[in-house]
Amino acid sequence: MAGAGVREFKRRIRSVASTQQITKAMKMVAAAKLRRAQESAEASRPYTQTLQDTLARLAAVSFDVKHPLLEKREEVRKVGYIVVTADRGLCGAFNTNIIRATSEAIEADERNVDHGIIAVGRKGRDFFRKREKIDAEFINLGDNISYADAREVGQYIMNAYENKEVDEVYLVYGKFINVLRQIPTITKILPLDPPKKEEATEERNVDYIYEPSADDILLTLLPKYIGSQVYNALLESKASEHGARMTAMGNATENASEIINSLTLEMNKVRQAAITDEILDIVGGAEALNKGGK
């Protein structure tokens, strides 16, 4: 019986050790991917910020500009949420936090409106498919996010807004801070609301000469601004996903080490108890033989 117990412990230790090798490898892969994703996310931030500042300067000198993306609806009947999650799991609470932030935003909206989900990522699609209406889904984008992917998502929501299929659009994604911290972020992207003239800083009030007119440039940049917002969110989300997966797999590897140490200790106790029992049996048998000989 004792031998069977030791064999069971060895089997469990081998199983946990095999899992530990997998989690350790996944941590290393996530770390390698995180570096590239973090570089891409950080590189996109200055472009997005510069484009936002440019729109602010143009808005400060443009008056009575009309564009479908600037049109605010008096009656909001439907609100769309672009939910950016991962296609795969094993990344801690990353997907759960994004889904929870979206659900809480929907529940906190006291207006009598419909809600639609534009799911970017398989996990968000699978969760909301049975709870909210899925207007569109964009899955299997891979680890190398391209601007073409963001432009496809951006073009869909711009068409939906211009066709009055949605009246407001929010972007929900995980903003990458560091490996241990990713903040669920909700940003309103439609209708566009460029900073007003009074919000512009002194640096923005430089007397530029625009060619063509500031109004024409503003109207040209508005769709590009939507694409850049979505692209930046996809990059931030991808970096957050790899950071969360790296942390989760690191914790799993450490937990596996603790389990192996605990099982090894228990196995040694069982083995020692078996050896002690065998010694007692031998000593008892020897004593019986000695007494019988007398």
PDB file of all heavy atoms in Angstrom, residues 84-100:
ATOM      1  N   VAL A  84     -12.462  45.722 -26.877  1.00  0.00           N
ATOM      2  CA  VAL A  84     -11.206  45.132 -27.348  1.00  0.00           C
ATOM      3  C   VAL A  84     -10.695  44.147 -26.299  1.00  0.00           C
ATOM      4  O   VAL A  84     -10.255  44.543 -25.220  1.00  0.00           O
ATOM      5  CB  VAL A  84     -10.147  46.219 -27.613  1.00  0.00           C
ATOM      6  CG1 VAL A  84      -8.890  45.596 -28.212  1.00  0.00           C
ATOM      7  CG2 VAL A  84     -10.704  47.291 -28.547  1.00  0.00           C
ATOM      8  N   THR A  85     -10.786  42.866 -26.608  1.00  0.00           N
ATOM      9  CA  THR A  85     -10.282  41.816 -25.722  1.00  0.00           C
ATOM     10  C   THR A  85      -9.307  40.936 -26.503  1.00  0.00           C
ATOM     11  O   THR A  85      -8.995  41.209 -27.663  1.00  0.00           O
ATOM     12  CB  THR A  85     -11.435  40.958 -25.170  1.00  0.00           C
ATOM     13  OG1 THR A  85     -12.157  40.377 -26.274  1.00  0.00           O
ATOM     14  CG2 THR A  85     -12.391  41.796 -24.331  1.00  0.00           C
ATOM     15  N   ALA A  86      -8.844  39.877 -25.854  1.00  0.00           N
ATOM     16  CA  ALA A  86      -7.908  38.955 -26.488  1.00  0.00           C
ATOM     17  C   ALA A  86      -8.659  37.827 -27.181  1.00  0.00           C
ATOM     18  O   ALA A  86      -9.820  37.547 -26.870  1.00  0.00           O
ATOM     19  CB  ALA A  86      -6.939  38.391 -25.451  1.00  0.00           C
ATOM     20  N   ASP A  87      -7.988  37.172 -28.101  1.00  0.00           N
ATOM     21  CA  ASP A  87      -8.550  35.983 -28.743  1.00  0.00           C
ATOM     22  C   ASP A  87      -8.326  34.739 -27.897  1.00  0.00           C
ATOM     23  O   ASP A  87      -9.025  33.743 -28.063  1.00  0.00           O
ATOM     24  CB  ASP A  87      -7.929  35.771 -30.126  1.00  0.00           C
ATOM     25  CG  ASP A  87      -8.431  36.779 -31.143  1.00  0.00           C
ATOM     26  OD1 ASP A  87      -9.643  37.063 -31.144  1.00  0.00           O
ATOM     27  OD2 ASP A  87      -7.610  37.294 -31.930  1.00  0.00           O
ATOM     28  N   ARG A  88      -7.355  34.799 -26.985  1.00  0.00           N
ATOM     29  CA  ARG A  88      -7.017  33.636 -26.161  1.00  0.00           C
ATOM     30  C   ARG A  88      -7.075  34.026 -24.684  1.00  0.00           C
ATOM     31  O   ARG A  88      -7.063  35.196 -24.330  1.00  0.00           O
ATOM     32  CB  ARG A  88      -5.616  33.124 -26.505  1.00  0.00           C
ATOM     33  CG  ARG A  88      -5.485  32.607 -27.934  1.00  0.00           C
ATOM     34  CD  ARG A  88      -4.068  32.169 -28.218  1.00  0.00           C
ATOM     35  NE  ARG A  88      -3.149  33.300 -28.198  1.00  0.00           N
ATOM     36  CZ  ARG A  88      -1.977  33.289 -27.581  1.00  0.00           C
ATOM     37  NH1 ARG A  88      -1.596  32.217 -26.913  1.00  0.00           N
ATOM     38  NH2 ARG A  88      -1.197  34.338 -27.617  1.00  0.00           N
ATOM     39  N   GLY A  89      -7.132  33.001 -23.850  1.00  0.00           N
ATOM     40  CA  GLY A  89      -7.153  33.215 -22.413  1.00  0.00           C
ATOM     41  C   GLY A  89      -5.763  33.096 -21.818  1.00  0.00           C
ATOM     42  O   GLY A  89      -4.761  33.446 -22.452  1.00  0.00           O
ATOM     43  N   LEU A  90      -5.705  32.586 -20.584  1.00  0.00           N
ATOM     44  CA  LEU A  90      -4.450  32.416 -19.852  1.00  0.00           C
ATOM     45  C   LEU A  90      -3.691  33.736 -19.715  1.00  0.00           C
ATOM     46  O   LEU A  90      -2.464  33.785 -19.813  1.00  0.00           O
ATOM     47  CB  LEU A  90      -3.556  31.366 -20.536  1.00  0.00           C
ATOM     48  CG  LEU A  90      -4.128  29.950 -20.613  1.00  0.00           C
ATOM     49  CD1 LEU A  90      -3.168  29.034 -21.365  1.00  0.00           C
ATOM     50  CD2 LEU A  90      -4.423  29.399 -19.235  1.00  0.00           C
ATOM     51  N   CYS A  91      -4.437  34.810 -19.483  1.00  0.00           N
ATOM     52  CA  CYS A  91      -3.809  36.114 -19.280  1.00  0.00           C
ATOM     53  C   CYS A  91      -4.398  36.798 -18.053  1.00  0.00           C
ATOM     54  O   CYS A  91      -4.667  38.001 -18.059  1.00  0.00           O
ATOM     55  CB  CYS A  91      -3.934  36.998 -20.516  1.00  0.00           C
ATOM     56  SG  CYS A  91      -5.587  37.130 -21.210  1.00  0.00           S
ATOM     57  N   GLY A  92      -4.625  36.000 -17.019  1.00  0.00           N
ATOM     58  CA  GLY A  92      -5.108  36.558 -15.769  1.00  0.00           C
ATOM     59  C   GLY A  92      -6.502  37.142 -15.897  1.00  0.00           C
ATOM     60  O   GLY A  92      -7.373  36.588 -16.570  1.00  0.00           O
ATOM     61  N   ALA A  93      -6.677  38.295 -15.259  1.00  0.00           N
ATOM     62  CA  ALA A  93      -7.985  38.949 -15.244  1.00  0.00           C
ATOM     63  C   ALA A  93      -8.128  40.003 -16.345  1.00  0.00           C
ATOM     64  O   ALA A  93      -9.036  40.823 -16.288  1.00  0.00           O
ATOM     65  CB  ALA A  93      -8.222  39.600 -13.877  1.00  0.00           C
ATOM     66  N   PHE A  94      -7.253  39.955 -17.343  1.00  0.00           N
ATOM     67  CA  PHE A  94      -7.275  40.991 -18.384  1.00  0.00           C
ATOM     68  C   PHE A  94      -8.624  41.047 -19.091  1.00  0.00           C
ATOM     69  O   PHE A  94      -9.276  42.102 -19.149  1.00  0.00           O
ATOM     70  CB  PHE A  94      -6.154  40.729 -19.390  1.00  0.00           C
ATOM     71  CG  PHE A  94      -6.234  41.582 -20.626  1.00  0.00           C
ATOM     72  CD1 PHE A  94      -5.956  42.932 -20.571  1.00  0.00           C
ATOM     73  CD2 PHE A  94      -6.616  41.030 -21.842  1.00  0.00           C
ATOM     74  CE1 PHE A  94      -6.045  43.728 -21.709  1.00  0.00           C
ATOM     75  CE2 PHE A  94      -6.705  41.808 -22.984  1.00  0.00           C
ATOM     76  CZ  PHE A  94      -6.419  43.165 -22.920  1.00  0.00           C
ATOM     77  N   ASN A  95      -9.058  39.920 -19.657  1.00  0.00           N
ATOM     78  CA  ASN A  95     -10.334  39.905 -20.384  1.00  0.00           C
ATOM     79  C   ASN A  95     -11.510  40.188 -19.455  1.00  0.00           C
ATOM     80  O   ASN A  95     -12.440  40.914 -19.826  1.00  0.00           O
ATOM     81  CB  ASN A  95     -10.522  38.543 -21.068  1.00  0.00           C
ATOM     82  CG  ASN A  95      -9.532  38.314 -22.192  1.00  0.00           C
ATOM     83  OD1 ASN A  95      -9.298  39.181 -23.018  1.00  0.00           O
ATOM     84  ND2 ASN A  95      -8.927  37.136 -22.211  1.00  0.00           N
ATOM     85  N   THR A  96     -11.447  39.627 -18.256  1.00  0.00           N
ATOM     86  CA  THR A  96     -12.538  39.829 -17.297  1.00  0.00           C
ATOM     87  C   THR A  96     -12.696  41.301 -16.942  1.00  0.00           C
ATOM     88  O   THR A  96     -13.821  41.811 -16.833  1.00  0.00           O
ATOM     89  CB  THR A  96     -12.283  39.009 -16.026  1.00  0.00           C
ATOM     90  OG1 THR A  96     -12.140  37.623 -16.383  1.00  0.00           O
ATOM     91  CG2 THR A  96     -13.425  39.148 -15.041  1.00  0.00           C
ATOM     92  N   ASN A  97     -11.599  42.007 -16.761  1.00  0.00           N
ATOM     93  CA  ASN A  97     -11.663  43.423 -16.398  1.00  0.00           C
ATOM     94  C   ASN A  97     -12.275  44.262 -17.519  1.00  0.00           C
ATOM     95  O   ASN A  97     -13.056  45.188 -17.261  1.00  0.00           O
ATOM     96  CB  ASN A  97     -10.267  43.950 -16.064  1.00  0.00           C
ATOM     97  CG  ASN A  97      -9.729  43.376 -14.771  1.00  0.00           C
ATOM     98  OD1 ASN A  97     -10.493  42.938 -13.907  1.00  0.00           O
ATOM     99  ND2 ASN A  97      -8.419  43.368 -14.616  1.00  0.00           N
ATOM    100  N   ILE A  98     -11.928  43.953 -18.771  1.00  0.00           N
ATOM    101  CA  ILE A  98     -12.493  44.701 -19.902  1.00  0.00           C
ATOM    102  C   ILE A  98     -13.996  44.433 -20.005  1.00  0.00           C
ATOM    103  O   ILE A  98     -14.800  45.357 -20.190  1.00  0.00           O
ATOM    104  CB  ILE A  98     -11.791  44.303 -21.218  1.00  0.00           C
ATOM    105  CG1 ILE A  98     -10.292  44.627 -21.139  1.00  0.00           C
ATOM    106  CG2 ILE A  98     -12.426  45.026 -22.394  1.00  0.00           C
ATOM    107  CD1 ILE A  98      -9.976  46.078 -20.927  1.00  0.00           C
ATOM    108  N   ILE A  99     -14.374  43.170 -19.877  1.00  0.00           N
ATOM    109  CA  ILE A  99     -15.795  42.809 -19.958  1.00  0.00           C
ATOM    110  C   ILE A  99     -16.570  43.437 -18.808  1.00  0.00           C
ATOM    111  O   ILE A  99     -17.681  43.945 -18.998  1.00  0.00           O
ATOM    112  CB  ILE A  99     -15.943  41.280 -19.975  1.00  0.00           C
ATOM    113  CG1 ILE A  99     -15.376  40.709 -21.289  1.00  0.00           C
ATOM    114  CG2 ILE A  99     -17.399  40.868 -19.796  1.00  0.00           C
ATOM    115  CD1 ILE A  99     -15.296  39.200 -21.313  1.00  0.00           C
ATOM    116  N   ARG A 100     -15.992  43.411 -17.613  1.00  0.00           N
ATOM    117  CA  ARG A 100     -16.674  44.002 -16.454  1.00  0.00           C
ATOM    118  C   ARG A 100     -16.844  45.516 -16.635  1.00  0.00           C
ATOM    119  O   ARG A 100     -17.910  46.064 -16.321  1.00  0.00           O
ATOM    120  CB  ARG A 100     -15.891  43.724 -15.176  1.00  0.00           C
ATOM    121  CG  ARG A 100     -16.587  44.277 -13.928  1.00  0.00           C
ATOM    122  CD  ARG A 100     -15.740  44.145 -12.683  1.00  0.00           C
ATOM    123  NE  ARG A 100     -15.510  42.747 -12.358  1.00  0.00           N
ATOM    124  CZ  ARG A 100     -14.321  42.165 -12.365  1.00  0.00           C
ATOM    125  NH1 ARG A 100     -13.241  42.874 -12.675  1.00  0.00           N
ATOM    126  NH2 ARG A 100     -14.200  40.892 -12.059  1.00  0.00           N
TER     127      ARG A 100
END
